[in-house]
Amino acid sequence: MSADQMSIGEMLAATVPMARTLNLDFLETTPEKAVVALPDQSDHHNHVGGPHAGAMFTLGESASGAIVLAAFGDQLARAVPLAVRAEIAYRKLAMGAVTATATLGRPAAEVVAQLDAGERPEFPVAIEIRRADGAVTGEMTVVWTLRPNG
């Protein structure tokens, strides 16, 4: 399968070793929302038997990367998406499988307009991490930029 035929989830799993290491499952990747699941795996548990904080951070960052590629994949010939900074808050104990849902914090058209104007736009991606019962176990924001090539 060529890169043009791969889904965003397949592409990330193929090119980001950590996504493969954690066995992340890219459930939905659209410009409006990305949903990524971290299965319950004892190799990635913390001292209380739930997913390790680092695994949940990687889950959230991966969901943010998936929505960035979905929203701005058509800009890759002229700009590279890069994470600038991230913040995470662990709200409740996470046990079992967890799922991260990412949404853009600014309209994609507004970000592209900045890029068109010769600027290096920054934009936030908000992520909620939930356990199977729906409880929010973590909230995360990753700020991304589109760095113009050249």
Side-chain angles (χ1 to χ4, degrees):
M1 182 179 293
S2 74
D4 290 340
Q5 296 170 319
M6 287 181 144
S7 72
I8 290 170
E10 290 167 334
M11 183 175 62
L12 286 170
T15 59
V16 180
M18 185 59 92
R20 286 191 311 274
T21 297
L22 292 178
N23 299 308
L24 298 181
D25 188 11
F26 293 83
L27 303 174
E28 180 180 347
T29 51
T30 70
E32 292 75 38
K33 179 170 69 169
V35 182
V36 182
L38 173 66
D40 186 21
Q41 303 164 94
S42 61
D43 286 351
H44 303 127
H45 282 178
N46 58 21
H47 62 289
V48 294
H52 189 278
M56 288 194 298
F57 183 95
T58 300
L59 170 68
E61 194 275 342
S62 297
S64 76
I67 197 169
V68 167
L69 286 176
F72 303 108
D74 60 342
Q75 303 299 318
L76 295 180
R78 67 179 185 145
V80 176
L82 298 169
V84 176
R85 62 187 171 276
E87 183 175 328
I88 191 166
Y90 301 100
R91 301 289 184 206
K92 289 187 180 202
L93 185 61
M95 298 299 283
V98 289
T99 303
T101 301
T103 55
L104 286 179
R106 289 179 55 200
E110 184 180 291
V111 174
V112 172
Q114 271 191 277
L115 190 61
D116 290 342
E119 299 174 32
R120 182 176 169 169
E122 288 191 3
F123 54 94
V125 175
I127 303 103
E128 280 192 342
I129 301 171
R130 294 179 181 271
R131 58 187 187 212
D133 68 1
V136 175
T137 63
E139 295 172 322
M140 185 173 180
T141 301
V142 180
V143 176
W144 287 80
T145 188
L146 295 178
R147 186 191 72 200
N149 295 335

